[in-house]
Amino acid sequence: MLTRIDHIGIACFDLDKTVEFYRATYGFEVFHTEVNEEQGVREAMLKINETSDGGASYLQLLEPTREDSAVGKWLAKNGEGVHHIAFGTEDVLGDSEAIRGKGVRVLYDQPRTGSMGSSITFLHPKDCHGVLTELVTSNPDH
């Protein structure tokens, strides 16, 4: 069962400049940064609030580390902006299989490692009214 909006992913050309915008404009602070080599991104997670299920909601700022990454290709085509929305779940595999059973294409057969050690998968945007959708099970250590 999907429990919350985990994060909204925003693609950007310059992570440091974009972080500074969100800090100066809205007062959001960086909660976590990392480089995900598999996905070819450098990212910053800005915590917005805590949630009733023990998780949190974030803005995820994504800068590609290579042009051939999914975010790099997306930026080249679309420019900066909202890249995806992610919903939190206690069981990313179970929920993705249930959603697959409703005719929605799931992009990974097995969940992959995402931000802060989370378990993730994506749903095809053409099956989600043009929205790239991520499912996330948070790592309890974060």
Side-chain angles (χ1 to χ4, degrees):
M1 177 176 83
L2 305 181
T3 58
R4 62 189 157 82
I5 294 175
D6 184 86
H7 66 271
I8 297 172
I10 300 172
C12 61
F13 291 111
D14 184 329
L15 184 65
D16 297 327
K17 185 176 178 181
T18 306
V19 164
E20 184 51 36
F21 169 81
Y22 281 95
R23 180 181 292 128
T25 305
Y26 306 116
F28 298 151
E29 294 297 329
V30 173
F31 178 77
H32 177 81
T33 61
E34 70 181 81
V35 174
N36 185 319
E37 295 293 343
E38 179 183 5
Q39 294 182 20
V41 295
R42 186 168 77 103
E43 66 178 80
M45 297 293 274
L46 288 71
K47 186 186 278 189
I48 306 305
N49 67 319
E50 302 290 332
T51 61
S52 62
D53 67 355
S57 292
Y58 302 90
L59 285 180
Q60 178 187 45
L61 306 179
L62 299 160
E63 175 190 73
T65 58
R66 56 182 197 271
E67 291 178 11
D68 69 339
S69 70
V71 172
K73 291 176 186 177
W74 190 91
L75 268 171
K77 181 179 177 182
N78 300 294
E80 293 184 307
V82 174
H83 180 261
H84 67 274
I85 186 167
F87 295 109
T89 172
E90 291 182 8
D91 181 7
V92 70
L93 183 59
D95 283 339
S96 66
E97 288 303 317
I99 291 169
R100 185 190 313 265
K102 296 176 182 179
V104 175
R105 286 175 281 179
V106 178
L107 299 184
Y108 307 148
D109 288 330
Q110 291 296 313
R112 296 186 181 178
T113 302
S115 301
M116 300 181 285
S118 61
S119 182
I120 67 165
T121 196
F122 285 90
L123 309 178
H124 200 292
K126 289 185 179 179
D127 298 341
C128 299
H129 298 271
V131 178
L132 179 61
T133 303
E134 182 179 4
L135 303 181
V136 178
T137 298
S138 298
N139 179 334
D141 295 334
H142 281 89

